[in-house]
Amino acid sequence: MKLKNIFMALMIAVLAIALVACQGDSEKEKEGEDKSNTEQKDNENNKEENKEAAADLEGSVVIDGSGTVYPLMAKLAEEYMSNEQSGVSVEVSRAGTSAGFKKFLVEDGTDFNDASRQIKDEEKAEADKLGLEVKELKVALDGLTFVINKENDWATEMTAEDLKKIFLADGGVTKWSDINSDWPDEKINTYGPNENHGTYEFFYENILEEKDLVDDVDLQQEYPTLVKMIEEDKNGIAFFGFGYYVNNTDKLQAVSVDFGNGAVEPSLDTIAEDGDYADFTRPVFTYLNVDNAKEKPQVLDYAIYVMNNINNFAGETGFAPIPDAEVEESVSFLEGLK
Protein backbone atom coordinates (compact mmCIF):
# COMPACT_ATOMS: atom_id res chain seq x y z
CA MET A 1 0.00 0.00 0.00
CA LYS A 2 2.80 2.34 0.88
CA LEU A 3 4.58 1.57 -2.39
CA LYS A 4 1.41 2.33 -4.30
CA ASN A 5 1.07 5.70 -2.56
CA ILE A 6 4.70 6.52 -3.25
CA PHE A 7 4.26 5.62 -6.95
CA MET A 8 1.18 7.82 -7.23
CA ALA A 9 2.99 10.73 -5.59
CA LEU A 10 5.88 10.41 -8.05
CA MET A 11 3.49 10.38 -11.03
CA ILE A 12 1.75 13.53 -9.80
CA ALA A 13 5.12 15.25 -9.34
CA VAL A 14 6.24 14.33 -12.87
CA LEU A 15 2.99 15.61 -14.36
CA ALA A 16 3.29 18.82 -12.40
CA ILE A 17 6.86 19.41 -13.63
CA ALA A 18 5.78 18.69 -17.25
CA LEU A 19 2.87 21.08 -16.93
CA VAL A 20 5.10 23.85 -15.61
CA ALA A 21 7.60 23.23 -18.43
CA CYS A 22 4.87 23.39 -21.05
CA GLN A 23 3.54 26.59 -19.57
CA GLY A 24 7.08 28.02 -19.64
CA ASP A 25 7.59 27.06 -23.28
CA SER A 26 4.21 28.47 -24.16
CA GLU A 27 5.01 31.71 -22.41
CA LYS A 28 8.39 31.90 -24.19
CA GLU A 29 6.72 31.22 -27.54
CA LYS A 30 4.16 33.89 -26.77
CA GLU A 31 6.91 36.30 -25.75
CA GLY A 32 8.76 35.50 -29.01
CA GLU A 33 5.65 36.04 -31.05
CA ASP A 34 4.91 39.28 -29.25
CA LYS A 35 8.48 40.47 -29.80
CA SER A 36 8.36 39.47 -33.47
CA ASN A 37 5.03 41.22 -33.95
CA THR A 38 6.35 44.32 -32.21
CA GLU A 39 9.47 44.39 -34.40
CA GLN A 40 7.37 43.87 -37.51
CA LYS A 41 5.06 46.72 -36.50
CA ASP A 42 8.07 48.93 -35.73
CA ASN A 43 9.56 48.16 -39.16
CA GLU A 44 6.25 48.87 -40.84
CA ASN A 45 5.89 52.11 -38.90
CA ASN A 46 9.44 53.14 -39.81
CA LYS A 47 8.79 52.38 -43.47
CA GLU A 48 5.55 54.34 -43.33
CA GLU A 49 7.27 57.25 -41.63
CA ASN A 50 10.05 57.23 -44.24
CA LYS A 51 7.47 57.04 -46.98
CA GLU A 52 5.50 59.92 -45.49
CA ALA A 53 8.70 61.93 -45.05
CA ALA A 54 9.62 61.32 -48.69
CA ALA A 55 6.12 62.22 -49.78
CA ASP A 56 6.04 65.44 -47.78
CA LEU A 57 9.27 67.19 -48.73
CA GLU A 58 9.25 70.96 -48.67
CA GLY A 59 11.57 73.77 -49.61
CA SER A 60 13.17 74.94 -52.81
CA VAL A 61 15.64 73.69 -55.39
CA VAL A 62 17.49 76.44 -57.27
CA ILE A 63 18.93 75.78 -60.74
CA ASP A 64 20.62 78.11 -63.20
CA GLY A 65 23.03 77.86 -66.10
CA SER A 66 22.83 76.64 -69.66
CA GLY A 67 20.13 77.96 -71.95
CA THR A 68 20.62 74.85 -74.06
CA VAL A 69 19.87 72.49 -71.15
CA TYR A 70 17.05 74.72 -69.87
CA PRO A 71 14.15 73.08 -71.79
CA LEU A 72 15.11 69.63 -70.51
CA MET A 73 15.53 70.70 -66.88
CA ALA A 74 12.42 72.88 -67.00
CA LYS A 75 10.38 69.89 -68.21
CA LEU A 76 11.77 67.67 -65.45
CA ALA A 77 11.05 70.36 -62.84
CA GLU A 78 7.46 70.64 -64.05
CA GLU A 79 6.94 66.87 -63.91
CA TYR A 80 8.58 66.61 -60.48
CA MET A 81 6.45 69.33 -58.92
CA SER A 82 3.24 68.04 -60.52
CA ASN A 83 3.67 64.31 -59.93
CA GLU A 84 6.26 63.79 -57.19
CA GLN A 85 6.70 66.60 -54.68
CA SER A 86 4.08 69.34 -54.78
CA GLY A 87 5.60 70.93 -51.66
CA VAL A 88 8.96 71.54 -53.36
CA SER A 89 9.53 74.57 -55.56
CA VAL A 90 12.06 73.90 -58.33
CA GLU A 91 13.25 77.19 -59.83
CA VAL A 92 15.00 76.87 -63.21
CA SER A 93 16.75 79.84 -64.84
CA ARG A 94 18.98 80.17 -67.92
CA ALA A 95 21.73 82.72 -67.40
CA GLY A 96 24.10 80.64 -69.54
CA THR A 97 26.71 78.06 -68.57
CA SER A 98 29.50 80.46 -67.61
CA ALA A 99 27.22 83.00 -65.94
CA GLY A 100 25.55 80.13 -64.11
CA PHE A 101 28.84 78.85 -62.72
CA LYS A 102 29.41 82.30 -61.19
CA LYS A 103 26.14 81.89 -59.27
CA PHE A 104 26.93 78.27 -58.40
CA LEU A 105 30.51 78.65 -57.16
CA VAL A 106 29.84 81.03 -54.30
CA GLU A 107 28.77 80.67 -50.68
CA ASP A 108 25.04 79.95 -50.53
CA GLY A 109 25.05 79.49 -54.30
CA THR A 110 22.60 77.62 -56.49
CA ASP A 111 21.98 73.90 -55.96
CA PHE A 112 22.60 72.93 -59.59
CA ASN A 113 24.32 74.51 -62.57
CA ASP A 114 23.27 73.24 -65.99
CA ALA A 115 26.12 73.29 -68.48
CA SER A 116 26.57 72.68 -72.19
CA ARG A 117 30.30 72.16 -71.61
CA GLN A 118 32.40 70.60 -68.89
CA ILE A 119 33.52 72.59 -65.89
CA LYS A 120 36.82 74.42 -66.50
CA ASP A 121 39.98 74.07 -64.44
CA GLU A 122 39.64 77.58 -63.03
CA GLU A 123 36.07 76.82 -61.99
CA LYS A 124 37.22 73.63 -60.28
CA ALA A 125 39.88 75.68 -58.49
CA GLU A 126 37.21 78.11 -57.28
CA ALA A 127 35.15 75.20 -55.93
CA ASP A 128 38.20 73.87 -54.09
CA LYS A 129 38.92 77.33 -52.69
CA LEU A 130 35.39 77.52 -51.30
CA GLY A 131 35.49 73.93 -50.04
CA LEU A 132 32.56 72.93 -52.24
CA GLU A 133 32.14 69.34 -53.36
CA VAL A 134 30.80 69.35 -56.91
CA LYS A 135 29.44 66.34 -58.82
CA GLU A 136 29.23 66.29 -62.60
CA LEU A 137 26.08 64.56 -63.89
CA LYS A 138 25.95 63.89 -67.60
CA VAL A 139 22.31 64.24 -68.63
CA ALA A 140 22.03 64.05 -72.44
CA LEU A 141 23.63 64.48 -75.86
CA ASP A 142 23.10 67.58 -77.98
CA GLY A 143 23.89 68.30 -81.61
CA LEU A 144 25.27 71.72 -82.54
CA THR A 145 22.81 72.83 -85.23
CA PHE A 146 23.09 75.47 -87.93
CA VAL A 147 19.78 77.03 -88.87
CA ILE A 148 18.65 79.17 -91.79
CA ASN A 149 15.55 81.02 -92.92
CA LYS A 150 12.63 79.02 -94.31
CA GLU A 151 12.94 80.86 -97.65
CA ASN A 152 16.59 79.92 -98.06
CA ASP A 153 16.41 77.13 -100.66
CA TRP A 154 20.08 77.09 -101.67
CA ALA A 155 22.13 76.52 -98.48
CA THR A 156 20.23 73.52 -97.10
CA GLU A 157 23.35 71.36 -97.39
CA MET A 158 26.92 72.49 -96.66
CA THR A 159 30.21 70.93 -95.71
CA ALA A 160 31.52 71.29 -92.17
CA GLU A 161 34.40 73.34 -93.58
CA ASP A 162 32.04 75.76 -95.37
CA LEU A 163 30.16 76.36 -92.12
CA LYS A 164 33.39 77.08 -90.28
CA LYS A 165 34.53 79.51 -92.99
CA ILE A 166 31.27 81.46 -92.73
CA PHE A 167 31.96 82.24 -89.07
CA LEU A 168 35.76 82.62 -89.19
CA ALA A 169 37.24 86.10 -89.49
CA ASP A 170 39.82 84.80 -91.96
CA GLY A 171 37.53 82.24 -93.61
CA GLY A 172 37.32 84.15 -96.87
CA VAL A 173 33.53 83.84 -97.03
CA THR A 174 31.28 86.88 -96.77
CA LYS A 175 28.62 86.16 -99.42
CA TRP A 176 26.69 83.01 -100.35
CA SER A 177 28.28 83.08 -103.79
CA ASP A 178 31.72 82.70 -102.14
CA ILE A 179 30.68 79.13 -101.29
CA ASN A 180 28.89 78.31 -104.52
CA SER A 181 28.83 80.58 -107.57
CA ASP A 182 25.25 79.53 -108.26
CA TRP A 183 24.12 80.88 -104.90
CA PRO A 184 22.93 84.49 -104.35
CA ASP A 185 25.49 87.27 -104.45
CA GLU A 186 24.20 88.43 -101.07
CA LYS A 187 26.03 89.06 -97.79
CA ILE A 188 25.70 86.31 -95.17
CA ASN A 189 24.48 87.56 -91.79
CA THR A 190 25.81 85.50 -88.89
CA TYR A 191 24.22 84.98 -85.46
CA GLY A 192 24.80 82.94 -82.33
CA PRO A 193 24.64 82.84 -78.51
CA ASN A 194 26.98 85.14 -76.61
CA GLU A 195 29.97 84.36 -74.40
CA ASN A 196 27.80 83.55 -71.37
CA HIS A 197 26.74 80.33 -73.06
CA GLY A 198 28.57 77.02 -73.17
CA THR A 199 27.33 76.60 -76.75
CA TYR A 200 29.39 79.62 -77.78
CA GLU A 201 32.42 78.22 -75.97
CA PHE A 202 31.97 74.79 -77.52
CA PHE A 203 31.70 76.34 -80.99
CA TYR A 204 34.64 78.68 -80.46
CA GLU A 205 36.95 76.19 -78.76
CA ASN A 206 36.06 72.87 -80.39
CA ILE A 207 34.77 73.78 -83.84
CA LEU A 208 36.68 76.98 -84.66
CA GLU A 209 39.72 75.90 -82.61
CA GLU A 210 39.81 79.28 -80.82
CA LYS A 211 40.19 81.32 -84.00
CA ASP A 212 38.49 84.72 -84.21
CA LEU A 213 34.88 84.97 -85.33
CA VAL A 214 33.82 87.44 -88.02
CA ASP A 215 33.68 90.98 -86.66
CA ASP A 216 29.99 91.55 -87.33
CA VAL A 217 28.61 88.32 -85.88
CA ASP A 218 25.50 89.15 -83.84
CA LEU A 219 25.73 87.33 -80.50
CA GLN A 220 22.65 87.24 -78.27
CA GLN A 221 21.85 86.23 -74.70
CA GLU A 222 18.40 84.80 -75.40
CA TYR A 223 17.81 81.86 -77.75
CA PRO A 224 14.24 82.91 -78.62
CA THR A 225 15.76 86.18 -79.90
CA LEU A 226 18.03 84.22 -82.23
CA VAL A 227 15.09 82.18 -83.51
CA LYS A 228 13.20 85.37 -84.34
CA MET A 229 16.22 86.94 -86.05
CA ILE A 230 16.70 83.98 -88.41
CA GLU A 231 12.97 83.75 -89.02
CA GLU A 232 13.06 87.35 -90.30
CA ASP A 233 16.40 87.29 -92.18
CA LYS A 234 16.51 85.41 -95.47
CA ASN A 235 20.31 85.69 -95.53
CA GLY A 236 20.86 84.79 -91.90
CA ILE A 237 22.51 81.72 -90.39
CA ALA A 238 22.88 80.89 -86.69
CA PHE A 239 24.24 78.11 -84.51
CA PHE A 240 22.73 76.69 -81.32
CA GLY A 241 21.58 73.44 -79.73
CA PHE A 242 19.34 70.99 -81.58
CA GLY A 243 16.56 71.42 -79.01
CA TYR A 244 15.91 75.02 -80.00
CA TYR A 245 15.70 74.03 -83.62
CA VAL A 246 13.43 71.00 -83.18
CA ASN A 247 10.98 73.11 -81.18
CA ASN A 248 10.90 75.77 -83.90
CA THR A 249 10.73 73.77 -87.13
CA ASP A 250 7.76 75.88 -88.23
CA LYS A 251 10.04 78.94 -88.24
CA LEU A 252 13.48 77.58 -89.21
CA GLN A 253 15.21 74.88 -91.19
CA ALA A 254 18.40 73.05 -90.27
CA VAL A 255 21.44 72.74 -92.50
CA SER A 256 22.44 69.15 -93.30
CA VAL A 257 26.19 68.84 -92.80
CA ASP A 258 28.63 66.90 -94.97
CA PHE A 259 31.50 65.68 -92.79
CA GLY A 260 33.07 63.86 -95.73
CA ASN A 261 30.65 61.02 -96.40
CA GLY A 262 27.54 62.85 -97.60
CA ALA A 263 25.16 65.31 -95.98
CA VAL A 264 23.80 64.37 -92.54
CA GLU A 265 20.70 65.97 -91.10
CA PRO A 266 20.85 66.57 -87.33
CA SER A 267 18.26 64.36 -85.64
CA LEU A 268 17.80 62.18 -82.58
CA ASP A 269 18.95 59.25 -84.71
CA THR A 270 22.18 60.87 -85.94
CA ILE A 271 23.23 62.80 -82.81
CA ALA A 272 25.58 60.44 -80.97
CA GLU A 273 29.18 60.43 -79.80
CA ASP A 274 29.89 57.64 -82.28
CA GLY A 275 27.16 58.42 -84.83
CA ASP A 276 26.93 60.14 -88.22
CA TYR A 277 26.71 63.58 -86.58
CA ALA A 278 29.48 62.84 -84.07
CA ASP A 279 31.71 65.78 -85.08
CA PHE A 280 29.04 68.25 -83.94
CA THR A 281 27.74 66.14 -81.03
CA ARG A 282 28.50 67.08 -77.43
CA PRO A 283 27.40 65.88 -73.99
CA VAL A 284 25.52 68.28 -71.75
CA PHE A 285 25.53 68.26 -67.96
CA THR A 286 24.14 69.46 -64.71
CA TYR A 287 26.52 70.05 -61.81
CA LEU A 288 25.32 69.33 -58.28
CA ASN A 289 26.45 71.03 -55.08
CA VAL A 290 26.95 67.82 -53.07
CA ASP A 291 27.05 69.68 -49.75
CA ASN A 292 23.59 71.12 -50.45
CA ALA A 293 22.33 67.67 -51.44
CA LYS A 294 23.49 66.27 -48.08
CA GLU A 295 21.90 69.10 -46.11
CA LYS A 296 18.65 69.55 -48.05
CA PRO A 297 16.58 66.38 -48.63
CA GLN A 298 14.62 68.01 -51.46
CA VAL A 299 17.81 68.75 -53.43
CA LEU A 300 19.00 65.14 -53.23
CA ASP A 301 15.53 63.82 -54.00
CA TYR A 302 15.32 66.00 -57.09
CA ALA A 303 18.79 64.94 -58.25
CA ILE A 304 17.80 61.26 -57.99
CA TYR A 305 14.52 61.97 -59.80
CA VAL A 306 16.37 63.75 -62.62
CA MET A 307 18.75 60.88 -63.27
CA ASN A 308 16.06 58.20 -63.00
CA ASN A 309 13.89 60.03 -65.54
CA ILE A 310 16.38 61.85 -67.75
CA ASN A 311 16.13 59.50 -70.72
CA ASN A 312 12.32 59.57 -70.56
CA PHE A 313 12.25 63.28 -71.38
CA ALA A 314 15.47 63.80 -73.37
CA GLY A 315 13.95 63.11 -76.78
CA GLU A 316 10.85 65.14 -76.00
CA THR A 317 13.00 68.24 -75.49
CA GLY A 318 15.40 67.71 -78.38
CA PHE A 319 18.21 65.66 -76.83
CA ALA A 320 19.57 62.20 -77.55
CA PRO A 321 19.64 59.88 -74.50
CA ILE A 322 22.77 58.72 -72.70
CA PRO A 323 23.61 55.02 -72.12
CA ASP A 324 21.70 53.31 -69.28
CA ALA A 325 24.99 52.29 -67.64
CA GLU A 326 25.92 55.97 -67.22
CA VAL A 327 22.52 56.72 -65.72
CA GLU A 328 22.84 53.83 -63.25
CA GLU A 329 26.31 54.97 -62.19
CA SER A 330 25.03 58.46 -61.37
CA VAL A 331 21.98 57.13 -59.50
CA SER A 332 24.21 54.81 -57.44
CA PHE A 333 26.39 57.75 -56.41
CA LEU A 334 23.36 59.85 -55.43
CA GLU A 335 21.72 57.02 -53.48
CA GLY A 336 24.96 56.71 -51.53
CA LEU A 337 24.52 60.28 -50.24
CA LYS A 338 21.44 59.31 -48.22
Side-chain angles (χ1 to χ4, degrees):
M1 183 70 181
K2 289 182 179 180
L3 289 174
K4 183 177 181 181
N5 289 339
I6 293 171
F7 178 76
M8 288 295 294
L10 288 172
M11 288 295 295
I12 291 170
V14 169
L15 287 172
I17 292 170
L19 180 60
V20 170
C22 286
Q23 287 177 339
D25 289 343
S26 177
E27 287 176 3
K28 287 180 181 178
E29 287 176 7
K30 187 173 183 304
E31 287 175 5
E33 288 175 3
D34 289 343
K35 185 177 180 181
S36 178
N37 289 337
T38 300
E39 289 176 351
Q40 184 176 353
K41 286 179 182 178
D42 287 343
N43 289 335
E44 288 174 358
N45 289 336
N46 288 336
K47 287 179 182 178
E48 193 63 31
E49 286 174 6
N50 291 336
K51 184 178 179 182
E52 287 176 5
D56 294 325
L57 289 174
E58 294 181 347
S60 63
V61 177
V62 183
I63 304 165
D64 210 326
S66 171
T68 297
V69 183
Y70 172 82
L72 175 56
M73 195 62 83
K75 177 65 177 175
L76 284 160
E78 177 187 344
E79 293 291 329
Y80 179 78
M81 290 186 289
S82 298
N83 303 318
E84 296 291 326
Q85 295 291 349
S86 60
V88 177
S89 172
V90 184
E91 306 162 21
V92 187
S93 300
R94 49 184 177 185
T97 298
S98 296
F101 269 124
K102 291 177 182 177
K103 297 181 179 183
F104 180 70
L105 298 172
V106 292
E107 289 186 17
D108 301 320
T110 52
D111 300 309
F112 294 84
N113 188 61
D114 298 334
S116 54
R117 61 160 172 81
Q118 288 188 295
I119 190 171
K120 294 183 175 181
D121 288 341
E122 54 266 34
E123 291 163 339
K124 290 180 182 178
E126 185 63 25
D128 291 340
K129 179 181 175 183
L130 293 166
L132 298 180
E133 183 180 353
V134 174
K135 175 63 177 177
E136 177 184 279
L137 301 171
K138 182 177 175 180
V139 294
L141 298 175
D142 177 48
L144 185 71
T145 304
F146 292 84
V147 295
I148 53 178
N149 184 275
K150 278 284 194 180
E151 294 183 28
N152 184 331
D153 59 1
W154 59 89
T156 56
E157 295 182 6
M158 280 188 271
T159 67
E161 288 305 312
D162 287 337
L163 288 165
K164 293 176 189 178
K165 288 177 181 178
I166 288 173
F167 284 89
L168 281 170
D170 61 356
V173 171
T174 57
K175 297 184 293 185
W176 295 111
S177 56
D178 291 332
I179 298 174
N180 187 321
S181 59
D182 293 332
W183 291 1
D185 193 31
E186 298 282 346
K187 183 181 182 305
I188 303 172
N189 300 318
T190 52
Y191 304 88
N194 65 22
E195 294 89 340
N196 285 330
H197 293 276
T199 298
Y200 168 88
E201 293 175 285
F202 174 78
F203 181 59
Y204 173 66
E205 295 171 5
N206 296 73
I207 307 302
L208 298 187
E209 298 175 338
E210 300 189 11
K211 296 176 183 176
D212 292 339
L213 276 75
V214 291
D215 292 336
D216 59 353
V217 62
D218 192 338
L219 303 176
Q220 295 289 325
Q221 171 66 21
E222 298 296 331
Y223 285 105
T225 303
L226 290 171
V227 171
K228 186 172 179 59
M229 286 176 148
I230 296 300
E231 182 185 14
E232 296 176 350
D233 187 351
K234 189 174 180 178
N235 289 302
I237 183 170
F239 64 92
F240 46 61
F242 179 74
Y244 276 96
Y245 158 68
V246 80
N247 288 307
N248 290 283
T249 53
D250 57 327
K251 302 171 185 176
L252 313 168
Q253 58 179 327
V255 176
S256 293
V257 185
D258 187 345
F259 298 101
N261 295 304
V264 178
E265 180 182 357
S267 71
L268 295 180
D269 292 326
T270 60
I271 295 171
E273 290 175 298
D274 58 354
D276 294 336
Y277 205 74
D279 287 1
F280 284 175
T281 292
R282 57 179 175 160
V284 294
F285 312 89
T286 193
Y287 285 83
L288 170 67
N289 182 320
V290 175
D291 302 296
N292 286 359
K294 290 177 179 178
E295 294 171 7
K296 305 175 186 177
Q298 72 274 17
V299 172
L300 179 56
D301 190 68
Y302 182 70
I304 293 171
Y305 175 83
V306 165
M307 293 314 303
N308 275 326
N309 292 275
I310 199 73
N311 282 346
N312 297 333
F313 295 103
E316 186 178 331
T317 51
F319 294 91
I322 59 175
D324 289 340
E326 294 184 16
V327 171
E328 291 166 6
E329 184 178 346
S330 292
V331 171
S332 177
F333 170 83
L334 295 169
E335 290 284 358
L337 298 179
K338 288 183 176 180

